[in-house]
Amino acid sequence: MNHAMINSASGVRAMQLRVDTIANNLANSDTVGFKSSDTTFAAMLTRNLNNQPYTEYEQGRQTPYGIRPGFGAKEALQVVDYKQGAMKQTDSPTDLFLQGEEAFFRVQRAGVNGRPNETYFTRAGNFSTLPTANGQLALLTAQGDAVMDTAGRPVQIPSNATNFTVNKDGQIVYRLNGVETQGQRIGIYTVQNLNILNPAGENYYRIPVEQIGGNAQWTDYARLANGGATLPDGVGIQQKALEASNVDLRKEMTMLIEAQRSLQFNARAISYNDQMSDITNRIYKG
Amino acid sequence: MLRGLDAAASGMIANQARQDALTNNLANVNTPGYKTDNAAFRSFPEVLIERIRDTGGGAMEGLGAKQVLGQITHGVYNQELVPNFAQGDAYETEDPLNFSLEDGMLAPQVIDGRSVQPRTFFKVQKPGENGGAPEIFYTRSGNWKMNAAGYLATPEGYQVLDANNQPINVRALLGTQPLSKKTLVVTPQGQLTAPLSPGSQPVQLGLVRVDNPALTMVKEADTTFRYTGAGQPVAFNPVRDTAVSIRQGYLERSNVDAGRTMMDMMNVIRSYEANQKVLSAYDTTLQKLAEVARV
């Protein structure tokens, strides 16, 4: 029935997870469009042991009978902080900064081995162009996945287009043979409930429709913001700029110290528990 | 037999139980809304010891009447774990769905001649086990999120209740607005409002006030408490409980004092060791006795 060791081990594990999260944040302190995350904890199972159910032995006791030891801590949530990162000016016309914390670019990753295409969302606007087979230039993310327009098609521009510009509402304008031409409009999607987004790595997020269950579609949770005439308040695209990582180094370092100390305390508790076991072993001297 | 043998062993067992509680506190040093458990020791009931066949210290002349020597206890046990409901500090998370309860200024109540500090709690609903009716639990941890169905929920998925014991539908409150601290505002009295969503009805967070939490609130899993007092806990009344305020974007830190806990652990180990030494001393005595008997 001694669970002191289990308690301390769960404490070490929980704190280790926070240290891991902080390390990931620090590693991405200069990643375009990166959102920092944090780990929060909850107390674990508490058991109700019925000790001494005889009222005559519980003289003067006022709390409800029984004894309720807890079994350590667990991680409760991995929360992503979607706060807007600072704007960083660049010279590349395909660098797009997305304004509004709830706004995302839609990205399509081609399914491999016959699987359907996957829809992801990202805030990293460090795009580039790549010539395609049909003489066009495709707008791709840094990972090489297609950026989608408002109608759900991959964004492409003619390869001989010049003066590539993107307006605030995502409308692409370029000059083709000396004539100003309107191209596709880059899709901006807003997600009302950022809590349901799942970080999918590489600065991508996805809506876990299979976890939500039912006939959930990602379109139930992400809405096209620039399909109509007006954009929602505070949402828009700024060309030739990027969103810096929103990791706050001072906050992360403070949290790291705190998490490390908590980890040390729990590790020390393990060593204390070991000492107690040693004392128990020394009862019998042979 | 040697009476102290059991007493020393019971001392070791009680100290082990205290160590269990201390390590649990330490593991939860970063758990929002966690309340420190204090172990309370109690000695076993006292027993009367008597000397039978008392000779009164004189010569062995027949058998005297039995004589009371006094009272003795046979050891100690860990009677109860009492949560300490002192307020933890609030820390900022900037999450629109994080709430901290501040009620340290509530007037103390006198119950059974003792002055106790009332505390307020949030109401959450856990689904019933094996298809039973859902049960209401109470928590100090306002670490919530909006689930896929749009309801306010704890990290474990339990729904947070409003003042009428109904789940809180954040999506209905927000309309088409995205969730942020601008679109969802909480008044210090716990009223959720959506200032940018015209026509939405404010929702009052379900809060209760418990006058004597240490004696009526029992710890359950996931940083929640079960109410074991008579009837239902009193609903929070903004007119009467003006000292209570709810802060959005903050969480209540665990009230575990790590330094104090480490010190208590050292105490426990030394006390455990002392009991072990007593036990060993008895062992030596018994060994000597065995040696004498061998002759």
Side-chain angles (χ1 to χ4, degrees), chain A residues 41-43 73-74, chain B residues 27-34 223 252-255:
Chain A
F41 306 104
K74 65 175 180 196
Chain B
N28 285 296
V29 71
N30 280 335
T31 304
Y34 180 81
T223 343
E252 182 179 347
R253 219 184 268 276
S254 160
N255 71 352

Side-chain angles (χ1 to χ4, degrees), chain A residues 2 4 7 40-41 43 57-59 61-64 68 72-74 192-193 195 221 268 273 280 282, chain B residues 16 19-20 23-24 27-28 32 42 77 79-80 114 143 146-147 175 177 179 215 218 222-223 272 276:
Chain A
N2 299 336
N7 292 347
T40 62
F41 306 104
Y57 287 175
E58 299 277 1
Q59 295 294 320
R61 177 165 179 175
Q62 293 190 314
T63 57
R68 291 161 288 275
K74 65 175 180 196
Q192 180 184 35
N193 179 9
N195 295 158
Y221 299 97
R268 178 58 59 86
N273 297 334
T280 318
R282 279 192 274 117
Chain B
Q16 178 69 58
Q19 178 78 352
D20 288 350
T23 50
N24 184 44
N28 285 296
R42 183 178 175 81
Y77 69 100
Q79 187 188 25
E80 53 189 336
R114 287 197 305 180
N143 179 21
M146 181 173 163
N147 68 13
Q177 292 289 333
L179 172 65
L215 307 190
V218 162
D222 310 320
T223 343
Y272 189 76
Q276 186 257 353

Side-chain angles (χ1 to χ4, degrees), chain A residues 168-228:
Chain A
K168 185 172 185 282
D169 62 354
Q171 180 66 52
I172 295 172
V173 182
Y174 46 82
R175 288 185 86 83
L176 193 64
N177 307 324
V179 184
E180 188 150 291
T181 317
Q182 289 209 337
Q184 288 162 291
R185 193 186 283 186
I186 296 174
I188 306 172
Y189 288 80
T190 54
V191 178
Q192 180 184 35
N193 179 9
L194 295 168
N195 295 158
I196 63 163
L197 285 178
N198 250 3
E202 300 176 328
N203 259 332
Y204 286 175
Y205 298 90
R206 63 185 295 271
I207 291 167
V209 280
E210 67 288 339
Q211 281 173 32
I212 294 167
N215 289 321
Q217 301 287 322
W218 66 261
T219 43
D220 302 342
Y221 299 97
R223 286 188 319 130
L224 186 64
N226 57 348

